[in-house]
Amino acid sequence: MSSGYSSGMPEPMQVDNGPDESESANSSRAVVVEISSLDLEAYAANYKGLARLYRLIHVADHCQSLRVEALRMALTYVMTTFNTNLYQQIHKKLQDAINTQTRLPDAVSGAVHSMPALDTQWIEITSKKMALRLEKLDTDLKNYKSNSIKESIRRGHDDLGDHYLECGDLSNALKCYSRARDYCTSSKHLVNMCLNVIKVSVYLQNWSHVISYVSKAESTPYLLEPAKDQNQQVITKLRVASGLADLACMRYKNAAKQFLSAHFDSVDFPELISANNIATYGSLCALATFDRQELQRLVISSSSFKLFLELEPQLRDIIHQFYASKYASCLKLLSDLKDGFLLDLYLAPHISSLYTQIRSRALCQYFGPYRSADLSKMAVAFNTTVLQLEDELMQLILDNKISARIDSHNKVLYAKDTDQRSSTFEKALEMAQERLKRTKSLILRAAIVRSHIQVQIPLRDGSQCSEMSLVPGNAASARN
């Protein structure tokens, strides 16, 4: 039965070495956030495992005021795992941060002088425990294979994958999880294997694997059974994982739809994401890509997504103000929240692009109903200067997002006049050409049928040919 489930599965053995560090460094090297309102303890409590560690490290790398606190929390948490390599990396970062702080005035640095020593005893003890446990799990797996019990072998691979994941060895964790697929005896086991691979692939930021295994999990019979609470939880996990992949690949509209389809009561994925993240990601992607009708139907009127927005009331206000065309206050609120968004691990690389798209969509919607607009009044509405507004509008015109022209002397934006008579004639000519093409095709087919023409079609193996008759009433193929 396992062969049926494993057929067509992409082979994940060629493992990427995680995200390209140089690329991510280049994209956010200059981003330094000065923020003190983030409650790190409450923020970190939403996640567990590598998700908490990676997010705390991201905060430390991009916020100087929270750097030491975030690294201390990460250092404390990593000691509850077997990840000795990450412990040493975090300790080195903390040491560098404290050394930087001590060069500041005493009033600023007095609270951060204390530097925890590198716990070599913990590293040694943990490394021994890790090796002993790995040896035991490996021995158990060999025994399971000698007994040829598929269920035990599958659990053995999963246990090994869990151990490697806790040790921070993502490549081996992914290999162990994927090897379990050959021993899945039910669609439920296959879904569990897909979720494990998806989780590790997100840590590695291997988004093609995420998308492949989401599709594989969604096609299993287990998720096609009558709705269950457990099924809804799995579906929500798949939706948010797919949304993260779409967000990372800059497919913002698809990402918005995935996050909007999440079920509030079924969000339980602290290894990757929290309900607050879903509210944030879904809202920003929707503002950047949805038109007014979609925003009203899929976001504002969505009974499910309203529950997410209750967790982020400022985002809820931004969406309502955007829909009500109160762009100045909407963009001002977005600007106030920007620093917080830049501290999000997955959202930070896309903030600039999302904010640009949101502002461009606001400009398009503002000018849409008018034949002309005063640039001075428009600049006030968008809390900017006339010169900056002209530059933005010029770019939108060049991108064919606004059909207009700018009168720089009188500071007026005019909509381009469209000749309705000419456009009607053009549409009529296009329809006539399409009708002519279809008519010629019908005449040709009628002539072929009338002449009893048969076309030879080679079979897939190329060994023989069959004749397809186009004679009416005899459309079946006949062999020579």
Side-chain angles (χ1 to χ4, degrees):
M1 190 171 183
S2 62
S3 60
Y5 289 116
S6 61
S7 59
M9 177 80 69
E11 176 59 51
M13 293 308 172
Q14 292 79 21
V15 180
D16 293 346
N17 291 324
D20 187 345
E21 295 181 359
S22 60
E23 181 179 344
S24 60
N26 291 333
S27 63
S28 57
R29 182 183 301 160
V31 177
V32 178
V33 178
E34 294 298 333
I35 184 174
S36 58
S37 60
L38 180 64
D39 186 348
L40 267 183
E41 288 190 6
Y43 175 74
N46 291 324
Y47 313 99
K48 67 180 184 180
L50 285 176
R52 179 184 295 192
L53 294 171
Y54 286 166
R55 286 179 179 270
L56 286 173
I57 292 172
H58 179 82
V59 171
D61 289 342
H62 295 85
C63 183
Q64 188 68 28
S65 60
L66 296 175
R67 183 174 173 80
V68 174
E69 183 184 355
L71 290 173
R72 287 186 186 276
M73 292 178 62
L75 193 69
T76 301
Y77 185 76
V78 77
M79 293 184 72
T80 63
T81 70
F82 289 123
N83 202 336
T84 56
N85 290 331
L86 190 57
Y87 167 79
Q88 296 178 72
Q89 294 174 21
I90 295 173
H91 188 275
K92 180 66 168 59
K93 283 177 175 286
L94 180 58
Q95 187 175 27
D96 294 342
I98 290 180
N99 289 338
T100 301
Q101 291 280 4
T102 53
R103 290 196 290 268
L104 298 175
D106 292 340
V108 178
S109 61
V112 296
H113 280 320
S114 57
M115 172 65 200
L118 184 66
D119 195 341
T120 55
Q121 183 179 3
W122 177 83
I123 295 175
E124 183 179 354
I125 294 174
T126 304
S127 299
K128 289 180 179 179
K129 288 181 179 178
M130 181 173 60
L132 289 173
R133 186 177 178 189
L134 178 60
E135 183 180 357
K136 178 183 182 301
L137 292 174
D138 195 41
T139 302
D140 290 344
L141 181 59
K142 290 178 180 177
N143 292 334
Y144 297 150
K145 287 184 176 180
S146 65
N147 294 329
S148 300
I149 303 176
K150 282 191 172 184
E151 174 61 16
S152 298
I153 298 173
R154 183 189 66 83
R155 287 203 309 266
H157 281 300
D158 283 348
D159 291 340
L160 263 179
D162 293 341
H163 176 69
Y164 280 124
L165 183 61
E166 195 171 1
C167 297
D169 190 347
L170 298 180
S171 298
N172 280 323
L174 183 57
K175 290 177 182 178
C176 290
Y177 285 140
S178 60
R179 285 170 184 159
R181 71 182 181 184
D182 294 328
Y183 305 97
C184 293
T185 57
S186 70
S187 58
K188 183 177 180 180
H189 294 160
L190 183 61
V191 169
N192 183 69
M193 182 274 299
C194 289
L195 286 174
N196 287 332
V197 172
I198 288 169
K199 178 173 61 179
V200 179
S201 298
V202 170
Y203 294 151
L204 290 168
Q205 297 193 20
N206 187 343
W207 304 114
S208 60
H209 263 163
V210 174
I211 295 171
S212 297
Y213 278 86
V214 166
S215 300
K216 187 66 180 177
E218 288 177 340
S219 64
T220 57
Y222 176 71
L223 295 183
L224 301 178
E225 295 174 357
K228 301 176 183 177
D229 291 340
Q230 191 174 3
N231 283 17
Q232 191 62 53
Q233 286 185 357
V234 173
I235 292 171
T236 297
K237 288 181 178 182
L238 296 175
R239 292 284 185 271
V240 298
S242 181
L244 281 176
D246 286 327
L247 175 63
C249 298
M250 301 184 72
R251 296 190 291 264
Y252 298 133
K253 190 161 190 174
N254 289 340
K257 290 179 179 179
Q258 296 290 357
F259 291 124
L260 290 172
S261 64
H263 194 272
F264 183 78
D265 294 329
S266 302
V267 176
D268 183 22
F269 211 4
E271 297 90 347
L272 289 184
I273 200 170
S274 68
N276 298 73
N277 295 144
I278 295 174
T280 302
Y281 301 165
S283 298
L284 292 180
C285 291
L287 286 172
T289 56
F290 284 2
D291 57 31
R292 288 179 59 82
Q293 290 75 20
E294 290 174 320
L295 198 65
Q296 168 67 26
R297 186 179 75 256
L298 300 177
V299 182
I300 298 176
S301 299
S302 171
S303 58
S304 175
F305 199 68
K306 279 181 180 179
L307 300 175
F308 288 101
L309 289 177
E310 293 295 329
L311 302 175
E312 298 288 345
Q314 288 180 301
L315 278 173
R316 180 190 58 200
D317 295 341
I318 287 171
I319 291 173
H320 285 284
Q321 289 180 9
F322 188 90
Y323 184 75
S325 301
K326 298 178 181 179
Y327 299 118
S329 56
C330 168
L331 295 174
K332 176 65 168 58
L333 283 174
L334 276 174
S335 178
D336 294 340
L337 296 177
K338 186 174 182 179
D339 283 350
F341 295 153
L342 287 172
L343 294 182
D344 187 278
L345 177 63
Y346 300 111
L347 192 60
H350 306 280
I351 282 298
S352 178
S353 176
L354 286 171
Y355 270 48
T356 300
Q357 291 188 36
I358 291 172
R359 187 174 179 85
S360 299
R361 186 165 291 276
L363 288 167
C364 295
Q365 290 185 4
Y366 179 94
F367 181 67
Y370 304 111
R371 293 181 61 85
S372 65
D374 188 325
L375 291 185
S376 299
K377 294 181 179 179
M378 197 171 177
V380 172
F382 283 89
N383 194 25
T384 186
T385 64
V386 174
L387 290 177
Q388 290 176 338
L389 181 62
E390 281 191 40
D391 292 338
E392 291 183 76
L393 292 173
M394 179 184 67
Q395 190 60 48
L396 290 175
I397 292 171
L398 291 174
D399 293 339
N400 293 322
K401 293 182 179 179
I402 292 182
S403 180
R405 55 190 175 85
I406 301 173
D407 184 348
S408 295
H409 178 71
N410 296 315
K411 303 302 179 185
V412 178
L413 180 67
Y414 291 101
K416 282 188 177 179
D417 292 327
T418 56
D419 189 344
Q420 298 294 336
R421 184 185 181 90
S422 297
S423 62
T424 302
F425 277 130
E426 289 176 1
K427 289 181 181 178
L429 286 173
E430 288 178 5
M431 293 178 65
Q433 292 292 339
E434 181 64 26
R435 174 68 67 176
L436 180 62
K437 181 179 178 181
R438 293 181 63 185
T439 302
K440 286 182 176 179
S441 299
L442 290 173
I443 293 172
L444 177 60
R445 178 172 177 78
I448 291 174
V449 172
R450 186 170 55 251
S451 301
H452 303 287
I453 296 176
Q454 294 177 329
V455 181
Q456 285 189 338
I457 302 176
L459 297 177
R460 289 186 179 181
D461 59 4
S463 58
Q464 295 181 0
C465 294
S466 63
E467 291 184 357
M468 181 177 4
S469 173
L470 297 179
V471 180
N474 186 22
S477 60
R479 295 189 177 275
N480 288 332

